[in-house]
Amino acid sequence: MSITSFINLKGGVGKSTTTVAFAEFLAGYHHRRVLVIDLDPQTNASIALVGDERWSELNRNGQTLHHVFLTPFASPPHPFGLGDIITSEASSVLECAGRIDLLASSTNLIGQEGVVEAVAAVSHYEMESHLVLAAAFAEDPGLLHRYDDVLIDCPPSLNIVTLNGLCLSDAYLIPVMAEPISIYGIPQIIERVARLKARFGHV
């Protein structure tokens, strides 16, 4: 199994489109089981895979990544486990049938860096804020291993939500366009990944 984050600090470079295209290529042409984790609150990858109506239903029901970061504060406790909020049959491409699942994003993640920090501080996790997502998956150790590939669409920033994706990954890909502005953030990404790798031995 490989876990790859797609990241660029510049928006509009096709990051979400590339994530979805990779997922459908791996599933459709190589018959691999793929999980797409959409960390970007713009929700483009989620809507591209399941459509606006289905995504809206998931968002209303709390079946998105926003739930992952709010679980320790839910009262009463949230009825879903992480496996329950993964959406199966996420692609409408016929060749991908049954091979792509989605952990959808939510527009409610906008401005939620403070929430992620708070989640990391409560006794349920007791860990670095960068590792909240990894901790959620660790509670169901076999979940990630259902898949051949896990693709993570990260927000166009190096905020806490993005760092959660990078800390879950063993590789990253930076989509760019043929314009200087789309490469300006690459040194910052490489430097931050190097620091994460030195600290956590991952990425």
Side-chain angles (χ1 to χ4, degrees):
M1 178 191 61
S2 65
I3 306 177
T4 304
S5 280
F6 291 72
I7 180 173
N8 192 318
L9 302 189
K10 168 75 169 61
V13 297
K15 176 177 53 60
S16 299
T17 301
T18 302
T19 305
V20 172
F22 261 68
E24 293 180 336
F25 175 75
L26 290 168
Y29 287 92
H30 295 281
H31 305 116
R32 295 174 70 85
R33 290 277 292 132
V34 182
L35 173 64
V36 175
I37 301 175
D38 186 4
L39 286 179
D40 192 340
Q42 295 181 82
T43 71
N44 292 333
S46 298
I47 292 173
L49 284 169
V50 300
D52 185 71
E53 185 175 338
R54 192 175 178 192
W55 171 81
S56 295
E57 181 180 354
L58 293 171
N59 198 45
R60 284 195 305 271
N61 293 337
Q63 293 176 276
T64 70
L65 272 163
H66 191 235
H67 151 68
V68 174
F69 297 124
L70 289 183
T71 294
F73 303 115
S75 181
H78 200 290
F80 302 121
L82 187 56
D84 298 322
I85 67 173
I86 290 178
T87 303
S88 59
E89 302 284 343
S91 174
S92 61
V93 176
L94 184 61
E95 290 81 0
C96 299
R99 297 197 189 95
I100 298 180
D101 292 349
L102 170 69
L103 187 48
S105 187
S106 171
T107 51
N108 296 325
L109 280 172
I110 295 172
Q112 291 295 296
E113 292 86 350
V115 171
V116 182
E117 293 275 8
V119 168
V122 301
S123 59
H124 182 73
Y125 286 102
E126 293 182 334
M127 62 170 49
E128 298 278 353
S129 57
H130 300 14
L131 301 177
V132 171
L133 184 60
F137 274 105
E139 292 182 357
D140 188 349
L143 188 56
L144 285 176
H145 294 284
R146 297 177 190 173
Y147 302 97
D148 300 305
D149 301 280
V150 178
L151 308 181
I152 304 176
D153 185 22
C154 295
S157 68
L158 284 171
N159 64 21
I160 291 297
V161 173
T162 299
L163 297 181
N164 268 266
L166 288 172
C167 284
L168 189 66
S169 303
D170 47 39
Y172 65 99
L173 189 149
I174 307 175
V176 297
M177 297 180 69
E179 57 181 20
I181 196 170
S182 76
I183 66 173
Y184 286 163
I186 291 179
Q188 288 90 336
I189 294 171
I190 293 173
E191 187 270 338
R192 180 58 65 90
V193 169
R195 284 165 50 193
L196 291 172
K197 186 172 183 179
R199 186 168 184 178
F200 300 111
H202 211 40
V203 181

